[in-house]
Amino acid sequence: MLLAATALGYGSLWAGITENSDFQAGLAELFDIPHGHRPAILLSFGTKGEHKEERPSRYEEGKIHRGRW
């Protein structure tokens, strides 16, 4: 969903929800989530408020260990 939003020109955010928090309980109540189920993440979508320049890649092949150290 986040990639699709980006492809459509929208901004998106993936936010984790702290287990057994008041925020989690509030979301469950707000969205009428059945008892025994709890929200674990919150996805937010909208128009971008600002446009940032793309940062250069920080990928370094030398830091990848494929089944070894």
Side-chain angles (χ1 to χ4, degrees):
M1 289 178 71
L2 301 180
L3 291 174
T6 300
L8 293 170
Y10 293 99
S12 59
L13 173 75
W14 172 293
I17 299 172
T18 304
E19 190 71 27
N20 298 318
S21 65
D22 290 339
F23 183 67
Q24 185 183 50
L27 282 176
E29 183 179 335
L30 177 67
F31 291 106
D32 199 25
I33 297 174
H35 181 72
H37 299 275
R38 298 181 300 247
I41 63 163
L42 178 67
L43 300 180
S44 180
F45 302 95
T47 55
K48 295 179 181 182
E50 60 182 66
H51 295 278
K52 296 183 179 180
E53 290 185 31
E54 190 171 323
R55 296 187 295 187
S57 174
R58 298 186 304 170
Y59 174 78
E60 294 181 35
E61 180 65 32
K63 292 185 177 181
I64 304 299
H65 305 283
R66 301 183 195 282
R68 62 177 174 74
W69 283 99

